[in-house]
Amino acid sequence: SRRLVLFPSSEDVQDAWLIDSDPDTIWQSASDEDEQFLALDLSAKRNISAIILKWAGLSSAKHVIVSLGTDCEDIRHVAEVHVASNGWDHVTQVILPSNQTARYVLIQLKNHQPELQ
C-alpha cells in the first residue's frame, strides 16, 4: 500500500484535503504569508517527470520552486516556474529536467516574483 506523508508550512492545514485523490477538494493556506511550502514524503523512491498544480478559482502563487531528494539530507533544486494566471481554475505544470528519482518533494509557493539581477 502507498502512504503519503505531508508536512505543510502552516500548522492549521487540513493535510488530508491535499492528498485525498478527489480533484474537487481544495487546500487553501490559512496564512497570508508571502511564502508557503509543502514537503511530501512519498515513502519510497519514485520516478517523477512533472508536478501539476491545479489552482482554485483565480488564486495562485506567482512563483513555484520544486526541490527533490532521495533522503532528507539530499534535497536539490530541480525546477522553478513563474505562474501566469490563465483564468478560472487554471493549471500550472512544472516539467522536471530528464527523469528524476526522489522520495521527498518540496514545493515552495511564493506570492511575489523574484527580482531579476
Side-chain angles (χ1 to χ4, degrees):
S1 79
R2 290 179 141 181
R3 186 176 69 86
L4 180 65
V5 180
L6 172 71
F7 302 96
S9 55
S10 300
E11 292 183 19
D12 56 353
V13 168
Q14 295 279 343
D15 58 351
W17 292 357
L18 185 65
I19 56 174
D20 70 354
S21 300
D22 181 350
D24 293 326
T25 300
I26 66 167
W27 168 78
Q28 180 176 353
S29 168
S31 173
D32 60 356
E33 292 182 23
D34 191 44
E35 181 176 7
Q36 295 289 315
F37 71 89
L38 300 169
L40 303 166
D41 178 351
L42 304 176
S43 299
K45 293 179 186 177
R46 308 239 188 258
N47 291 329
I48 304 171
S49 60
I51 303 292
I52 299 171
L53 303 169
K54 181 178 178 192
W55 305 102
L58 294 173
S59 63
S60 70
K62 291 181 173 56
H63 191 73
V64 177
I65 300 170
V66 175
S67 300
L68 302 175
T70 53
D71 59 48
C72 290
E73 304 294 321
D74 175 38
I75 305 295
R76 65 202 179 285
H77 172 269
V78 294
E80 60 185 274
V81 296
H82 301 286
V83 179
S85 177
N86 295 322
W88 195 262
D89 290 343
H90 63 282
V91 173
T92 298
Q93 187 170 7
V94 182
I95 305 296
L96 305 181
S98 65
N99 196 18
Q100 301 287 320
T101 300
R103 174 179 172 170
Y104 300 96
V105 178
L106 177 65
I107 302 170
Q108 292 174 275
L109 307 168
K110 296 185 176 189
N111 289 323
H112 67 280
Q113 297 285 3
E115 292 184 26
L116 298 176
Q117 308 235 349

